[in-house]
Amino acid sequence: MESSNLVTLIFVVAAVFVFMQLRSVLGKRTGHERPPFDPSRKQQEAPENDGDNVITLPNRKEGANDPYKQIDEIADTSSALNKNLRKIKDAAPAFEPKEFLKGAGMAYEMIVMSFADGDKKTLKNLLSKEVYDGFAAALDDRAKAGETVQSNFVGIEKIEFSDAELRGHDAHLTVSVVSQMISSTRDKAGEIIDGDPEAVVEVKDIWTFARDTRQKDPNWKLVATEAED
């Protein structure tokens, strides 16, 4: 049985060099209602799990006699999604789709808010070196321009699997995320140049996570993102 503490997600995007470019990938977001997710608090509250979740979550024993129980509950048994999720389950028995979705939602908030807040330290722990360098450059450009961002993650309305595929030993899980955010960007003079500090905006994103099922390392890497129209 695999185990881990907080699982690091590495957010991989083709190119992010300025803040506006990131917004085009993650979707338009527009400010401040609750503090960002505290991973250390969540880690302390949640007991150790089987190690195959995106983030440390309670261990689930449901469906012990039927390894595909959760899969059948979230995907039609005649669908390609169900078939592919079963293949991933066979390759990585510790994988539980419901727990994965919970962890993916937590990771989504952490990554989005860390970039909005300019938190390089947190981003460095979540991103590959190449993507971190791009994010860091975008944050440096924002700082040089004297721009500041005020953002708040209101919440996730919906997160679900939109695709799944086992490519050799590599499992790919694609999730569709509908969230709400409030965000605004001000120039060095304090004038709002983007967003609205009072408006809640719906954001639709599609993120794909991948993992080599042969590895003991339970980390899932975020290998692609796009904004859903």
Side-chain angles (χ1 to χ4, degrees):
M1 186 68 69
E2 302 171 342
S3 62
S4 70
N5 293 318
L6 179 67
V7 178
T8 302
L9 287 172
I10 302 179
F11 174 52
V12 180
V13 190
V16 183
F17 295 102
V18 295
F19 179 64
M20 293 300 294
Q21 286 177 308
L22 179 70
R23 291 180 66 257
S24 69
V25 175
L26 293 179
K28 295 182 179 179
R29 329 187 135 71
T30 82
H32 253 46
E33 293 187 6
R34 68 175 186 178
F37 170 71
D38 182 351
S40 62
R41 177 174 58 81
K42 289 289 184 181
Q43 184 177 12
Q44 293 170 358
E45 293 177 355
E48 292 185 0
N49 68 347
D50 58 17
D52 199 45
N53 299 317
V54 176
I55 270 184
T56 302
L57 293 164
N59 188 22
R60 304 292 185 184
K61 298 297 183 182
E62 61 179 285
N65 297 326
D66 180 5
Y68 308 122
K69 184 176 187 298
Q70 285 194 16
I71 295 174
D72 293 345
E73 289 175 350
I74 65 175
D76 188 281
T77 55
S78 63
S79 67
L81 176 60
N82 185 290
K83 178 181 178 180
N84 290 329
L85 286 172
R86 284 176 175 240
K87 288 181 179 179
I88 292 174
K89 177 69 173 178
D90 291 339
F95 166 68
E96 295 294 350
K98 292 181 180 180
E99 280 64 57
F100 179 91
L101 288 176
K102 292 176 184 177
M106 295 176 188
Y108 179 91
E109 178 178 352
M110 289 171 63
I111 293 172
V112 170
M113 289 305 300
S114 293
F115 183 85
D117 295 340
D119 186 352
K120 289 185 178 180
K121 182 177 180 181
T122 298
L123 287 173
K124 193 168 186 177
N125 292 327
L126 297 172
L127 309 178
S128 68
K129 182 182 184 305
E130 294 78 9
V131 176
Y132 171 77
D133 288 344
F135 273 44
L139 293 175
D140 290 342
D141 288 343
R142 193 168 76 189
K144 289 178 181 178
E147 297 176 354
T148 57
V149 175
Q150 181 183 29
S151 295
N152 186 64
F153 190 88
V154 179
I156 291 179
E157 294 182 348
K158 185 177 183 180
I159 181 169
E160 62 183 359
F161 289 105
S162 59
D163 195 14
E165 184 179 4
L166 186 64
R167 304 175 187 174
H169 296 286
D170 294 331
H172 290 252
L173 295 171
T174 300
V175 296
S176 174
V177 186
V178 179
S179 64
Q180 290 187 332
M181 287 193 69
I182 306 171
S183 183
S184 61
T185 302
R186 297 177 183 270
D187 61 20
K188 59 184 178 181
E191 297 296 325
I192 296 176
I193 58 175
D194 185 62
D196 187 329
E198 298 181 357
V200 177
V201 173
E202 183 177 83
V203 183
K204 296 181 179 180
D205 292 313
I206 299 175
W207 286 19
T208 300
F209 298 91
R211 178 189 167 220
D212 185 342
T213 59
R214 297 171 299 178
Q215 302 298 319
K216 291 184 178 181
D217 181 357
N219 295 351
W220 289 83
K221 296 181 180 181
L222 185 52
V223 298
T225 70
E226 62 179 294
E228 186 176 358
D229 295 331

